[in-house]
């Protein structure tokens, strides 16, 4: 399990602004616009309680503070509880939170206490990064390369398939690749025999996972995976439009899905 580090979350406001600009260039809408359009929901400044959680590897420096900055950036009214865990949950509800955000090492959830809707970060992240890539205004076809078919990647790939895209999938785990080919009807991608794509989706915890031969000029790489799937050198060489941000896009997807 790859956990976020305080370093990943440095300058979260700047990272969000840059991601918003990239999403606008790719889709014509900003992050909020894509979420509203995709989920068919709008926010009315709902109050969000962010509860730090100490279990497992414990509190991640900058995590709750970043969620506070992110939720305010998207126009919600949020606060971080003083107490963690069960006491923090109690504090959040007593202070009027309509939506609870909290994460342990395995699950990062958003729970809307008013309508009962609940969201998990992994599928919400995969789906929104896939949705953004699927809207690429300059895409030359409906072919997608998807690298990483795990807890974030699989729901993203399922979303592309649902939208009628032809997905070429790859995962270092051979058995998982075969299972996904079978369950979603995608085509296995052979890194030894690559071809070019204008839409690439990546969700692995590794760097440099996209072979250079798969990059077409001005392709979009939509990737929640940390660290980055592509070197800055290749990004510049191919004019890659990179959508990558460590926490905010996935969190926006969770929140709009529970409104
Ligand atoms: P996971 O372990 O469930 O899946 C990762 C998959 O990548 C695995 O199936 C693994 O076999 C595969 N993989 C690893 N190295 C590979 C390589 N070189 N080539 C091809 N496949 C490779 O992990 P996950 O929960 O799906 O998370 C994936 C990444 O997304 C992690 O880095 C995680 O931290 C990140 N993440 C980011 C956000 C965000 O908002 N940006 C949100 C959630 C998760
Ligand atoms: O409250 C805290 O500070 C901690 N208990 C948070 C733990 C979050 C662990 N999860 C991760 O690091 C991520 N893999 C999931 C977060 C989504 C965005 N990358
Ligand atoms: Mg994100």
């Amino acid at each position: 399990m790859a956990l976020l580090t305080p370093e990943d979350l440095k300058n979260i406001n700047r990272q969000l602004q840059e991601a918003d600009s990239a999403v606008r260039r790719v889709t014509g809408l900003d992050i909020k616009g894509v979420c509203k359009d995709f989920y068919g929901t709008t926010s009315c400044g709902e109050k969000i309680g962010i509860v730090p959680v100490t279990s497992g590897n414990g509190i991640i420096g900058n995590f709750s503070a970043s969620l506070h900055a992110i939720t305010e950036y998207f126009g919600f009214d949020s606060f971080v509880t003083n107490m963690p865990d069960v006491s923090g949950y109690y504090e959040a509800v007593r202070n009027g939170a309509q939506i609870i955000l909290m994460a342990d090492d395995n699950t990062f959830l958003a729970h809307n206490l008013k309508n009962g809707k609940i969201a998990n970060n992994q599928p919400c992240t995969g789906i929104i990064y896939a949705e953004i890539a699927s809207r690429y205004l300059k895409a030359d076809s409906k072919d997608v390369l998807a690298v990483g078919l795990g807890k974030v990647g699989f729901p993203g790939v399922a979303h592309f398939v649902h939208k009628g895209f032809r997905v070429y999938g790859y995962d270092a785990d051979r058995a998982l690749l075969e299972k996904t080919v079978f369950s979603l009807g995608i085509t296995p991608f052979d890194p030894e025999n690559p071809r070019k794509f204008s839409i690439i989706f990546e969700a692995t915890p590794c760097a440099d996972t996209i072979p250079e031969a798969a990059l077409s000029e001005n392709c979009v790489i939509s990737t929640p995976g940390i660290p980055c799937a592509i070197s800055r050198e290749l990004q510049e060489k191919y004019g890659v439009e990179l959508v990558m941000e460590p926490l905010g896009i996935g969190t926006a997807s969770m929140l709009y899905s529970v409104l």
Side-chain angles (χ1 to χ4, degrees):
M1 161 78 53
L3 298 180
L4 281 170
T5 67
E7 191 65 23
D8 294 328
L9 298 170
K10 259 172 83 179
N11 302 317
I12 192 69
N13 268 304
R14 203 180 66 210
Q15 295 197 62
L16 262 177
Q17 280 161 14
E18 286 175 7
D20 233 353
S21 301
V23 170
R24 237 180 273 120
R25 285 192 300 273
V26 169
T27 70
L29 292 172
D30 61 11
I31 298 165
K32 194 198 270 193
V34 174
C35 288
K36 283 168 83 165
D37 194 53
F38 173 58
Y39 289 110
T41 53
T42 40
S43 79
C44 308
E46 284 78 3
K47 200 163 178 179
I48 298 184
I50 299 158
V51 183
V53 172
T54 64
S55 71
N57 285 287
I59 286 173
I60 295 175
N62 289 346
F63 186 76
S64 292
S66 297
L67 288 180
H68 187 217
I70 288 162
T71 47
E72 296 277 324
Y73 179 90
F74 289 115
F76 294 92
D77 171 18
S78 63
F79 64 98
V80 179
T81 59
N82 293 312
M83 298 296 290
D85 306 325
V86 176
S87 303
Y89 186 97
Y90 183 69
E91 183 187 332
V93 176
R94 291 297 301 229
N95 283 292
Q98 178 182 336
I99 299 174
I100 303 291
L101 276 182
M102 60 185 186
D104 66 12
D105 294 349
N106 298 309
T107 304
F108 170 22
L109 66 79
H111 191 187
N112 187 330
L113 304 177
K114 237 181 180 165
N115 63 19
K117 292 187 190 175
I118 192 161
N120 181 308
N121 176 258
Q122 288 153 341
C124 285
T125 299
I127 288 166
I128 203 68
Y129 276 82
E131 178 65 23
I132 290 165
S134 77
R135 292 175 180 236
Y136 185 31
L137 298 167
K138 295 184 195 151
D140 63 11
S141 76
K142 290 198 107 181
D143 290 357
V144 175
L145 171 62
V147 178
L149 307 170
K151 295 180 287 296
V152 174
F154 184 92
V157 169
H159 186 60
F160 279 118
V161 170
H162 175 74
K163 288 194 78 172
F165 284 76
R166 245 183 328 270
V167 179
Y168 294 76
Y170 178 71
D171 195 290
D173 178 341
R174 194 84 222 162
L176 181 62
L177 174 59
E178 275 165 24
K179 208 178 91 186
T180 311
V181 164
F182 181 73
S183 63
L184 295 181
I186 63 171
T187 305
F189 172 75
D190 178 5
E192 304 299 315
N193 190 16
R195 44 153 290 199
K196 292 185 183 296
F197 290 86
S198 72
I199 302 177
I200 299 174
F201 168 72
E202 196 265 11
T204 84
C206 298
D208 304 321
T209 52
I210 315 289
E212 180 172 354
L215 303 172
S216 62
E217 200 69 33
N218 303 129
C219 62
V220 65
I221 301 184
S222 188
T223 174
I226 303 168
C228 188
I230 184 176
S231 66
R232 189 165 287 278
E233 187 195 337
L234 283 182
Q235 190 191 333
E236 279 164 14
K237 182 171 172 189
Y238 290 90
V240 172
E241 196 58 83
L242 187 66
V243 177
M244 184 193 73
E245 184 282 331
L247 187 60
I249 296 177
T251 303
S253 177
M254 295 163 74
L255 291 171
Y256 278 86
S257 82
V258 301
L259 290 177

